[in-house]
Amino acid sequence: MPDALYNCTLADLSRRLAKGELSSLELMQSVIARTKAVEGRVRAFNSYDEQDALAQARASDERRAARKGAPSHPLEGIPIGIKDVISVAGQPLTASSRMLANFVSPYDATVTAKLKAAGALCWGRLNLDEFAMGSSTENSAFGVTSNPWDLERVPGGSSGGSAASVAAGEAVASLGSDTGGSIRQPAALCNLVGLKPSYGRVSRYGLIAFASSLDQIGPFARTVEDAATVLGAISGHDRRDSTSLKMEVPDYNRGIAELVRSGRKWKLGIPKEYFGEGLDPEVGAAVQAAIDAYRRMGCEVREVSLPHTKYAIAAYYIIATAECSSNLARFDGVRYGHRSKDAKDALDLYFKSRAEGFGPEVKRRIILGTYVLSSGYYDAYYLRAQKVRTLIRRDFLEAYKEVDAIVTPTSPTPAFKKGEKAANPLAMYLNDIYTIGVNLAGLPGISIPCGFTGGGLPIGLQVIGQPFKETELLAVASAYEQTIDWRNRHPSL
Amino acid sequence: MPKPEDFKLDHVTNLARINLSAEEKERFGAQLGDVLAYIALLNEVNVEGVEPTAHAFPVVNVWAEDVPEPGLSVEDALRNAPEKRDNMFVVPKVVE
Amino acid sequence: MNYEAVIGLEVHVQLKTRSKMFTRAAAGYGLPENTLTDPVVLALPGTLPVMNKEALDKIIKAGLLLGCEIAPVCKWDRKNYFYPDSPKNYQISQYDQPLCKGGSVEIELPGPARNVMGEHKRIALTRIHLEEDVGKLNHGEGASLVDFNRAGTPLMEIVSEPVIHSADEAFAYLTALKTVMIYGGISDCDMEKGQLRCDANISIRPAGSTGLGTKVELKNLNSFSFVRDGIDHEVRRQKAVLESGGKIVQETRDYDGQAGTSQSLRSKEMAHDYRYFPDPDLMPVEVGEEWKAALQATCPEMPFDRQRRLQEQYSLPYTITSVLVPDRQLGDFFEEAARLCGKPQAAGNWITNDLLRELGASKTALADSKVRPQHVAGLVKLVEDGTILSNAAKEVFIEMFHSGEMPESVVARKGLKAETNLDDLERWCAESIAGNPKSVADYKGGKESALNAFKGPVMRAAKGKADPKKVDEMLRKLLAR
């Protein structure tokens, strides 16, 4: 139903809460009811704490009342789903892994603390590919999340639960994480807006690290405006994250409005390497239609070249696995996490606990990462991959001398069926072709809905921005969004 | 670039402290072999004179002043411990 | 066959900071187990490191003190290995870009006798870098218990070149290094508290040759004495192996200080492959000229430079300087006292004998001593000008130590004034000399012992309350005219 509470935009709900037409408690109750109605089929959550959520909602209403009409933050009282890889104090933090099945975190991630400071309700622990490694959420140790648009199909990954929950109305917006496309691709497969900020824009403190130099946290939302609101709340320098940037956080929505008012005509680049083999024809057609829409608006559209595109996946799978092999070494059953019952000594403890706790994809990546860092192989693999990474970044920065933003498909195919790619890791990796370079280059990227296949599956358009120019990126995305109404379609759950 | 046969699965799983079943060894060995063969693509790239990316943006001297802050209570520190005794984490004996 | 020992020492020094190297959990020692942790220390999922500025200041200062080349840029690397005392199962360290390179430590070897200064040498260093410490494993029955209080404390690793050739040199090296660290306020280097740890790499070669033999790493050297004994033991062991026709196995050995023996640590199935790579969570450190200059300005005079200066400037003997130099505060105390009274040797004696004796007996720290430099200076002056005799002075010192009173006040209160003043003493000596011309002739003829003839009458005139030393001095002075 188009005007069911659980399908409203964040901006709309925020206005209603501000006007007193709706209480946070009512909103949270409606979200919980919707969750209970559809979770059996969607399985977006690993867990949720109903009592805690209602308590948060009541507290929000009290805070708002105490302000006596003074304005609240737009996120006050809004339920935001949190990927189960971002720490929330007192709540489970499992990374969808048996390794952390019983782990309860004692601290808030910085983004969690920022959401709480804005008055948002931190809602549930959303499913993901184990330790954020995957593109379908099929690698979760606890069960697969279904795409609300077609329950036989995957929602994408690794932030599948974050996408499915918002698409299904089980959260107003959510946080995911993106290392090679894990926000943008699920957003594309679920008809949502998904944003990966520039590397360093959002603190990683409290995000279970997968690839430290590539990971970023970002929002899933129903509109560009909603995504911008959440981004504004979670961005900013964090003294606990040495890789977070000391840069002022603008008011993104105000910035978008100003750019729109200014009548700025964007110069957009279409990378020729992104439209070749492997791209599903319906996806290609929908993306071309979106590019035409930009042309009709008066934007200049030109072809650019990102010549090192074909090396991005290879470079990524060396760098990301190397970093994750080290980041996941801490999971050993000593201080927390799964401990094998059969260990005969401390050494045995490691081998067995890690064998029992990690799923196959995680093991594969740790093994690969260990190999590429091992003695005698560092130069040939890791060092070379980091050099290729420099070339990939240079490609983008060269292109940005001519254009403001780059437009591509987000995913080469729409949502695929469960089990279709699971057996072949390499085939799964090749899905990431359009998103992965963005992480390697540290750039911001957004996926927005740009149509449906004949079979009713969502298609996503990716816009890639310049370093730290999220406002411009959002404005370009918003310009297209104004011309269509894909967001008004909802899955029939 | 190294040859496919350079990859010794047993040696690597030893370094990574992960036991694999015989079935996993066979399956992963093949899958990782495919991935490594694909990765060899990077050999084509001319990286002469190219600096490796250390960090996305060049920033130095990111630090904090030496002012202690409250940490975890002993209870919180041990809350998720699989086994604890006398306020310490228990591990099976370490054999030197 | 004569063999020469070739030794390199790897010393880990815990920096004296209030918080840990990569997080602001408090650093400390001797506290209840697992009370100095936070999510970063325990490597909880999602945590990240942030550098401690003070630790950087301290290592740069150490590098400046030891004459190292300070790297203009350096970075952090992950050293990957699994061990229960290492929360992340990687240690953040510095691999190929250490903060300090080169440098040297001036050491003093034992002299032929206790009161004779031994030879000085310089031991070259390879490098100094920063890393984080690990937790503590307590081995129990069938299980080990881990305490993470120490985990994450800043550690400086100081690697010497393999240019140490004896156990005595090693001992001298550690003593000298410790003194420099204390002078610089960098670490207290208390081995009992784990603030200084030492591993030795030991090999032997035919005397006079230049190659390096197979080296053995010796661990668990828990005191400076055990370092010395352990090295001696290992050198003897290696000699015995070679002399019996065997070969030295490259291995790590564990030294048992009590038993004076060592044993091979069970050889690991695979050599360590630490898979070093730059830590993506940390940004590089750039050390500019301004930063170095600011730290250079806080560098104290080096211990042996001070020793040389004390010997030259104040003509102090080695017996006194060897006591004043290892303790920077004691040396400062001395210099202030010397400045106030102008009699450095006398001040030095009071400080190195009486003050240290009283401090030791009452287990008082120098900083808490009621006797301050002005007390010592005052006492020296009272003895110099004859106001009190030296045996009375000893009594005054002890009083001052317990009450903190200035010496004049003690003298007045206890009526310890010497009855003689210098004018009286001169008159009595002159009278005694005048009354004994024969002894004058004998003395001037070269008979030293003739001096004693004058003392009796002087002491009678002074009613026994003359300082024999002063009498002797005054007689000689008058006779020399």
Side-chain angles (χ1 to χ4, degrees):
Chain A
M1 283 177 57
D3 42 38
L5 263 188
Y6 55 75
N7 281 331
C8 291
T9 64
L10 193 160
D12 189 20
L13 292 168
S14 199
R15 276 188 292 270
R16 295 207 229 174
L17 287 165
K19 287 197 210 149
E21 289 168 13
L22 180 65
S23 73
S24 178
L25 183 61
E26 286 165 331
L27 176 56
M28 191 67 239
Q29 283 166 336
S30 141
V31 165
I32 290 171
R34 174 66 175 173
T35 303
K36 288 181 171 171
V38 302
E39 251 303 89
R41 286 167 285 156
V42 176
R43 210 226 164 272
F45 289 86
N46 284 336
S47 68
Y48 55 81
D49 187 337
E50 194 178 326
Q51 293 314 312
D52 172 75
L54 293 170
Q56 289 185 59
R58 285 189 196 96
S60 173
D61 287 331
E62 278 166 31
R63 282 193 298 271
R64 194 185 292 272
R67 291 190 186 108
K68 295 197 201 332
S72 299
H73 191 284
L75 290 185
E76 179 71 66
I78 304 280
I80 311 275
I82 316 269
K83 185 176 182 180
D84 197 2
V85 80
I86 296 169
S87 185
V88 179
Q91 295 292 327
L93 180 62
T94 71
S96 286
S97 177
R98 252 176 236 112
M99 183 58 91
L100 292 175
N102 296 316
F103 182 76
V104 175
S105 180
Y107 77 103
D108 274 334
T110 297
V111 297
T112 306
K114 281 177 176 284
L115 284 181
K116 287 181 181 177
L121 314 183
C122 295
W123 166 230
R125 312 310 282 123
L126 292 166
N127 197 18
L128 59 145
D129 281 298
E130 187 182 357
F131 282 107
M133 299 181 195
S135 312
S136 65
T137 312
E138 289 168 293
N139 292 330
S140 168
F142 303 140
V144 185
T145 297
S146 304
N147 190 322
W149 295 90
D150 179 340
L151 298 171
E152 309 281 291
R153 293 176 188 261
V154 301
S158 62
S159 315
S162 301
S165 59
V166 178
E170 300 174 282
V172 177
S174 68
L175 291 188
S177 69
D178 189 316
T179 305
S182 294
I183 290 176
R184 291 161 287 153
Q185 183 250 29
L189 270 48
C190 293
N191 198 47
L192 295 173
V193 174
L195 171 73
K196 183 200 87 67
S198 310
Y199 183 84
R201 176 61 85 181
V202 174
S203 169
R204 292 184 298 116
Y205 183 77
L207 168 67
I208 300 185
F210 161 16
S212 315
S213 73
L214 303 168
D215 296 339
Q216 270 292 278
I217 294 174
F220 284 88
R222 296 175 181 146
T223 63
V224 171
E225 180 187 11
D226 287 356
T229 304
V230 177
L231 181 67
I234 61 174
S235 297
H237 174 251
D238 180 16
R239 66 189 177 88
R240 294 187 209 272
D241 176 357
S242 303
T243 63
S244 84
L245 232 234
K246 272 196 173 92
M247 231 193 215
E248 221 183 284
V249 180
D251 179 331
Y252 292 114
N253 279 314
R254 174 134 41 107
I256 296 169
E258 272 164 18
L259 283 168
V260 166
R261 259 200 308 279
S262 76
R264 167 114 171 239
K265 299 283 175 260
W266 302 104
K267 289 210 283 264
L268 303 175
I270 313 295
K272 65 183 195 214
E273 293 87 0
Y274 280 49
F275 289 84
E277 219 184 285
L279 177 57
D280 177 293
E282 287 187 277
V283 173
V287 170
Q288 284 302 338
I291 292 170
D292 289 338
Y294 277 116
R295 284 200 183 91
R296 283 194 298 276
M297 271 181 243
C299 294
E300 191 191 311
V301 175
R302 64 164 82 176
E303 190 183 77
V304 296
S305 176
L306 302 173
H308 294 92
T309 297
K310 66 196 244 222
Y311 304 112
I313 292 180
Y316 173 88
Y317 277 96
I318 290 174
I319 295 166
T321 58
E323 293 178 3
C324 89
S325 73
S326 181
N327 286 329
L328 269 64
R330 67 189 62 193
F331 301 110
D332 58 8
V334 170
R335 291 144 288 117
Y336 54 83
H338 172 74
R339 173 184 289 205
S340 175
K341 306 236 183 304
D342 313 318
K344 54 185 200 304
D345 57 42
L347 189 60
D348 205 31
L349 183 77
Y350 293 134
F351 281 99
K352 293 203 165 107
S353 302
R354 290 160 66 78
E356 292 163 16
F358 291 139
E361 184 60 30
V362 172
K363 284 179 183 155
R364 276 191 292 264
R365 295 195 194 196
I366 290 175
I367 291 167
L368 182 56
T370 304
Y371 175 57
V372 302
L373 287 177
S374 64
S375 177
Y377 298 102
Y378 176 88
D379 283 2
Y381 287 119
Y382 189 77
L383 192 58
R384 174 169 276 269
Q386 290 284 35
K387 291 179 178 179
V388 172
R389 181 178 181 176
T390 300
L391 294 172
I392 289 171
R393 183 172 159 89
R394 271 192 213 164
D395 283 354
F396 280 98
L397 297 181
E398 265 309 299
Y400 286 134
K401 290 180 181 164
E402 310 294 320
V403 300
D404 302 315
I406 290 171
V407 175
T408 81
T410 305
S411 167
T413 66
F416 42 91
K417 283 204 190 291
K418 295 174 193 170
E420 189 181 314
K421 306 206 183 194
N424 187 345
L426 187 56
M428 189 71 87
Y429 298 166
L430 296 173
N431 265 330
D432 298 331
I433 184 65
Y434 302 136
T435 50
I436 232 166
V438 180
N439 300 79
L440 289 169
L443 304 171
I446 190 171
S447 181
I448 50 176
C450 76
F452 287 82
T453 64
L457 298 175
I459 297 171
L461 177 78
Q462 175 176 237
V463 186
I464 306 170
Q466 297 184 54
F468 307 112
K469 293 198 170 167
E470 281 80 4
T471 306
E472 284 78 356
L473 175 68
L474 289 160
V476 171
S478 177
Y480 169 70
E481 191 191 46
Q482 302 305 316
T483 70
I484 46 80
D485 66 348
W486 304 122
R487 89 132 220 98
N488 291 328
R489 273 222 236 177
H490 298 283
S492 50
L493 272 174
Chain B
M1 191 153 266
K3 298 184 285 299
E5 51 268 29
D6 287 333
F7 177 62
K8 304 270 190 279
L9 184 59
D10 283 346
H11 174 67
V12 180
T13 54
N14 210 358
L15 288 175
R17 299 292 193 262
I18 299 180
N19 276 343
L20 292 184
S21 68
E23 186 276 323
E24 280 175 321
K25 286 188 196 183
E26 208 182 300
R27 182 161 42 108
F28 293 176
Q31 289 167 332
L32 288 172
D34 288 344
V35 176
L36 284 169
Y38 174 76
I39 278 172
L41 194 56
L42 288 190
N43 234 2
E44 290 173 16
V45 186
N46 181 3
V47 293
E48 179 110 14
V50 181
E51 283 302 304
T53 292
H55 292 100
F57 46 86
V59 167
V60 295
N61 295 353
V62 179
W63 56 50
E65 295 301 317
D66 183 31
V67 179
E69 287 173 18
L72 289 172
S73 66
V74 180
E75 292 72 35
D76 280 342
L78 292 162
R79 197 174 299 284
N80 290 287
E83 201 187 326
K84 54 195 167 197
R85 194 195 315 158
D86 300 336
N87 284 336
M88 285 185 276
F89 297 85
V90 178
V91 294
K93 64 178 163 28
V94 178
V95 182
E96 286 294 354
Chain C
M1 165 88 86
N2 265 337
Y3 288 103
E4 164 184 68
V6 177
I7 300 148
L9 291 180
E10 233 171 71
V11 176
H12 283 90
V13 171
Q14 229 180 46
L15 299 183
K16 201 156 93 164
T17 57
R18 298 167 59 207
S19 66
K20 297 195 174 184
M21 182 65 228
F22 292 110
T23 182
R24 306 291 77 73
Y29 177 83
L31 284 131
E33 291 84 359
N34 288 307
T35 52
L36 297 174
T37 77
D38 71 4
V40 179
V41 171
L42 293 178
L44 297 191
T47 51
L48 294 171
V50 177
M51 290 191 280
N52 181 329
K53 167 74 166 33
E54 181 65 28
L56 292 169
D57 282 340
K58 284 181 150 59
I59 184 178
I60 294 169
K61 190 167 175 181
L64 292 171
L65 286 171
L66 295 173
C68 303
E69 184 194 308
I70 311 290
V73 181
C74 67
K75 63 173 170 59
W76 302 97
D77 300 294
R78 292 192 186 179
K79 180 179 182 181
N80 298 284
Y81 69 96
F82 286 81
Y83 207 70
D85 63 6
S86 181
K88 297 184 292 298
N89 286 319
Y90 63 85
Q91 185 194 35
I92 301 176
S93 178
Q94 297 186 301
Y95 177 54
D96 58 336
Q97 282 182 26
L99 220 148
C100 307
K101 278 214 200 77
S104 64
V105 178
E106 182 183 354
I107 71 171
E108 181 178 285
L109 292 171
R114 273 201 69 225
N115 59 346
V116 180
M117 185 169 85
E119 180 198 346
H120 279 228
K121 284 176 89 154
R122 278 205 171 266
I123 304 294
L125 298 177
T126 312
R127 52 182 273 161
I128 308 180
H129 73 256
L130 253 189
E131 56 186 35
E132 50 176 350
D133 209 344
V134 294
K136 223 158 174 272
L137 267 174
N138 301 302
H139 298 291
E141 292 240 353
S144 300
L145 302 176
V146 198
D147 170 19
F148 290 102
N149 279 354
R150 195 179 63 180
T153 308
L155 271 189
M156 218 167 43
E157 182 176 318
I158 303 172
V159 182
S160 84
E161 290 282 313
V163 295
I164 295 171
H165 295 295
S166 72
D168 275 347
E169 283 186 6
F171 189 95
Y173 173 82
L174 291 172
T175 316
L177 193 59
K178 175 171 174 169
T179 308
V180 171
M181 292 301 135
I182 291 173
Y183 266 52
I186 292 160
S187 171
D188 292 333
C189 292
D190 185 342
M191 263 185 121
E192 277 177 31
K193 295 184 178 168
Q195 294 167 357
L196 189 154
R197 282 162 247 163
C198 179
D199 295 329
N201 287 306
I202 302 156
S203 64
I204 61 177
R205 63 185 176 200
S209 68
T210 50
L212 287 173
T214 306
K215 68 176 181 203
V216 168
E217 188 188 13
L218 197 58
K219 292 179 102 71
N220 199 28
L221 303 164
N222 294 336
S223 71
F224 289 5
S225 303
F226 284 168
V227 172
R228 183 176 48 203
D229 298 344
I231 288 173
D232 266 338
H233 171 84
E234 177 58 20
V235 169
R236 271 184 275 121
R237 187 192 73 84
Q238 289 192 15
K239 281 190 185 159
V241 167
L242 290 184
E243 269 156 12
S244 70
K247 280 170 85 151
I248 308 294
V249 174
Q250 180 168 351
E251 59 180 345
T252 300
R253 298 182 70 87
D254 194 77
Y255 183 68
D256 182 338
Q258 302 297 345
T261 58
S262 71
Q263 58 177 14
S264 187
L265 288 177
R266 192 160 66 151
S267 59
K268 284 130 180 137
E269 270 121 59
M270 60 258 144
H272 281 299
D273 180 353
Y274 292 119
R275 306 184 294 290
Y276 285 103
F277 72 103
D279 194 325
D281 291 329
L282 290 166
M283 295 303 185
V285 178
E286 243 177 44
V287 186
E289 292 311 312
E290 248 181 64
W291 190 2
K292 275 196 286 196
L295 286 170
Q296 184 73 65
T298 71
C299 282
E301 180 184 32
M302 288 290 276
F304 289 125
D305 287 337
R306 175 173 244 184
Q307 175 158 281
R308 282 182 280 272
R309 184 174 59 78
L310 292 180
Q311 283 163 351
E312 235 181 74
Q313 187 175 333
Y314 302 108
S315 304
L316 288 178
Y318 180 68
T319 46
I320 294 187
T321 61
S322 60
V323 177
L324 291 179
V325 164
D327 184 336
R328 182 180 171 186
Q329 267 83 45
L330 193 65
D332 292 343
F333 189 107
F334 161 76
E335 294 217 62
E336 179 59 10
R339 186 185 68 82
L340 289 171
C341 71
K343 294 278 174 213
Q345 280 161 58
N349 275 318
W350 284 112
I351 291 166
T352 58
N353 293 316
D354 303 79
L355 179 58
L356 287 185
R357 181 194 65 230
E358 294 304 316
L359 286 174
S362 61
K363 294 201 205 311
T364 312
L366 179 64
D368 301 327
S369 163
K370 293 191 176 124
V371 166
R372 305 311 313 161
Q374 53 270 35
H375 293 81
V376 173
L379 187 59
V380 166
K381 284 203 194 128
L382 291 178
V383 173
E384 266 310 298
D385 68 21
T387 309
I388 56 174
L389 307 178
S390 29
N391 49 353
K394 295 245 172 236
E395 197 185 322
V396 173
F397 188 93
I398 294 174
E399 269 301 311
M400 287 195 309
F401 185 83
H402 292 298
S403 68
E405 280 175 275
M406 286 299 286
E408 297 81 0
S409 151
V410 175
V411 166
R413 182 165 56 77
K414 298 190 86 172
L416 293 171
K417 240 180 151 142
E419 293 301 324
T420 41
N421 61 35
L422 282 176
D423 291 331
D424 287 337
L425 185 67
E426 188 169 345
R427 189 164 37 85
W428 294 325
C429 287
E431 280 169 11
S432 179
I433 288 169
N436 196 340
K438 179 174 187 300
S439 295
V440 173
D442 284 343
Y443 180 74
K444 292 209 174 170
K447 203 170 159 203
E448 272 287 309
S449 57
L451 198 67
N452 296 330
F454 304 114
K455 290 184 182 175
V458 174
M459 292 307 274
R460 275 194 295 278
K463 298 196 177 72
K465 286 193 180 173
D467 186 332
K469 257 182 55 198
K470 293 236 165 357
V471 171
D472 190 288
E473 262 172 42
M474 182 59 77
L475 286 169
R476 285 179 196 272
K477 192 173 96 176
L478 295 179
L479 285 165
R481 284 199 194 140

